[in-house]
Amino acid sequence: MPPVRPAAIRRTATTLADGRELIYFDDSEPYVSGQRTRRLDDPRPLPDRFAPIPQPDGSLAPVTGPQMRRDPLTGDWIPMAGHRMNRTFMPSADACPLCPAREDADYSDGEIPATDYDVAVFENRFPALLAVPGAPPEPWAVDGEELWQARPASGRCEVVCFSSDHDSSFADLTPGRVRTIVEAWADRTAALSELPGVQQVFCFENRGPEIGVTLPHPHGQIYAFGYVTPRTRTMLERAAEHRAATGGHLLRDVLEAELRAGVRIVAESEHWVGYVPAAARWPVEVHLAPRRDVLDLPGLTDAERDDLAVTYLELLRRLDRFFVDGAGAPVPLPYVAGWHQAVLGEGRELGRLHLQLLSVRRAPGKLKYLAGVESGMASWISDTTPERVAARLQELA
Ligand SMILES: [Zn+2]
């Protein structure tokens, strides 16, 4: 295997005009050696995001973050926007906020002031989860009814720019650049895990307009949740039941069972195994897990990170050839790819790092919609079989 790891990765943190954090992860010269530094100042006239907001009558109103309410019927927390934020600045409709600043302009509409970058991470300007400094953390009862609990939707949302090239995509990147992204994910997971109240960190990519992506620029997101999400809660309950019944670790036992069965294995490398889960629910679904028990991305060794960059890219490139149109041309796959990592509180030892990649595309020109049975009952009906999906991916290897 050719060397994947850049000779070094340089991390440079700065603050945007409204107080949000921006971090450059550089693997190319002259930045990686420190000979030059990316632009650190943000020339935009943005108000401090937590500064009180002037009202029409001249008074000042404090910024309030998003709230979340607990569905009393399921126990799920639902974060809600509609909070009061300093949002006087909006980028013009034709400007991509993730593209680097233009060389010929000293003022940028974008979120990244440098004229180029390798990988960049910044706090989302319009976050679904946000810890407002000084905001009272106490829960309250909606309309005074104790059944309806509400809390500040604290946490943090970040954007990861995978490339400065607007027309690129993750699958087009070099293994070295993917390796830098892995480093950025691990760095952010470690940092966000330290924030007060954060219970889990989710790094993910939504790819394609079919998934609802509004910015085509290659990017992903990171959510640091102040609560355990419904899927994770369910998985923890199942893992605890499995441990009580068998003494085993559910996620490891699933991986070992898939390796024994073999039929749904679609990728195997020194450190990683890709498989279509035996009870996959999406039209295309692949999980990628390390062979070694690892709780989260920061727990991966350098060798596992190098291998991941190569193995994941190879898998993504196959997925982009999964469907072909009438003329035999590949149809790029819309997908959601997210990293399940161990929670930070109770149940942490039940976690095991794995990537879940899923697609709503069930055929060229056909999408799976979450209709009555899925949306109304959260009960899934698959239009295919996991073995058929795995066979197609094996054929493309
Ligand atoms: Zn762009």
Side-chain angles (χ1 to χ4, degrees):
M1 192 167 78
V4 171
R5 197 180 322 154
I9 296 168
R10 185 181 182 82
R11 180 190 190 282
T12 312
T14 187
T15 306
L16 295 172
D18 57 1
R20 286 175 294 134
E21 194 173 7
L22 163 71
I23 306 164
Y24 296 105
F25 292 88
D26 284 305
D27 57 37
S28 64
E29 291 294 3
Y31 300 95
V32 64
S33 62
Q35 281 180 46
R36 284 188 65 186
T37 301
R38 300 289 186 191
R39 184 171 184 172
L40 300 180
D41 68 305
D42 176 1
R44 296 172 295 177
L46 306 186
D48 183 306
R49 62 182 166 155
F50 296 129
I53 306 162
Q55 301 299 295
D57 67 359
S59 66
L60 291 173
V63 166
T64 55
Q67 62 166 292
M68 58 184 186
R69 296 181 181 179
R70 191 173 209 176
D71 180 342
L73 304 184
T74 62
D76 297 346
W77 286 102
I78 318 287
M80 295 174 180
H83 43 295
R84 198 159 52 208
M85 296 283 295
N86 261 318
R87 283 189 180 188
T88 52
F89 179 92
M90 291 292 283
S92 58
D94 60 342
C96 170
L98 310 187
C99 274
R102 292 190 309 277
E103 297 271 3
D104 57 353
D106 61 0
Y107 176 80
S108 160
D109 259 4
E111 294 281 58
I112 298 170
T115 52
D116 196 11
Y117 60 84
D118 293 337
V119 173
V121 178
F122 58 86
E123 283 182 77
N124 197 320
R125 188 185 283 167
F126 308 113
L129 309 170
L130 177 69
V132 177
E138 290 81 25
W140 65 93
V142 177
D143 300 328
E145 293 285 348
E146 292 299 326
L147 268 177
W148 298 322
Q149 298 170 46
R151 274 167 50 195
S154 61
R156 180 150 147 163
C157 296
E158 297 186 340
V159 177
V160 185
C161 297
F162 297 143
S163 167
S164 61
D165 178 359
H166 185 84
D167 298 316
S168 182
S169 82
F170 200 110
D172 296 332
L173 302 174
T174 63
R177 186 54 48 79
V178 174
R179 181 66 177 78
T180 304
I181 293 167
V182 173
E183 208 64 22
W185 283 334
D187 176 284
R188 301 318 302 146
T189 298
L192 299 178
S193 297
E194 294 293 317
L195 295 180
V198 167
Q199 298 196 35
Q200 64 179 135
V201 179
F202 183 52
C203 306
F204 65 100
E205 179 191 6
N206 296 329
R207 193 268 190 117
E210 297 89 346
I211 300 288
V213 177
T214 50
L215 286 172
H217 196 114
H219 72 287
Q221 301 183 62
I222 304 176
Y223 272 39
F225 292 97
Y227 58 96
V228 176
T229 60
R231 180 176 171 89
T232 304
R233 197 177 68 210
T234 303
M235 290 200 303
L236 286 174
E237 286 165 5
R238 296 286 303 130
E241 286 167 20
H242 179 78
R243 188 174 61 179
T246 70
H249 188 296
L250 180 58
L251 285 161
R252 185 199 310 138
D253 290 352
V254 163
L255 175 63
E256 286 175 359
E258 289 289 1
L259 282 166
R260 277 196 303 276
V263 287
R264 288 172 300 277
I265 299 288
V266 297
E268 274 205 80
S269 66
E270 186 180 353
H271 297 287
W272 294 86
V273 178
Y275 59 91
V276 180
R281 62 181 66 188
W282 296 92
V284 181
E285 181 167 358
V286 180
H287 292 196
L288 186 61
R291 292 186 189 271
R292 191 173 63 90
D293 287 348
V294 180
L295 292 173
D296 53 15
L297 289 158
L300 293 173
T301 63
D302 278 338
E304 286 164 341
R305 296 178 195 203
D306 294 349
D307 186 353
L308 171 62
V310 174
T311 306
Y312 184 36
L313 265 185
E314 198 274 324
L315 193 58
L316 280 182
R317 287 170 185 170
R318 263 193 275 162
L319 286 160
D320 269 345
R321 291 181 286 132
F322 192 94
F323 293 113
V324 291
D325 65 17
V331 180
L333 192 76
Y335 64 78
V336 176
W339 285 100
H340 293 278
Q341 310 197 70
V343 297
L344 296 159
E346 190 187 342
R348 180 165 173 77
E349 74 286 356
L350 297 172
R352 196 180 189 282
L353 178 70
H354 62 284
L355 177 91
Q356 179 187 22
L357 186 147
L358 58 93
S359 180
V360 292
R361 183 175 298 293
R362 54 190 185 86
K366 284 185 188 166
L367 301 180
K368 177 173 182 70
Y369 290 99
L370 302 190
V373 180
E374 286 89 3
S375 295
M377 297 307 283
S379 183
W380 286 70
I381 295 173
S382 173
D383 307 304
T384 181
T385 66
E387 290 75 24
R388 202 178 301 161
V389 173
R392 173 67 179 146
L393 284 169
Q394 287 158 358
E395 166 189 312
L396 292 167

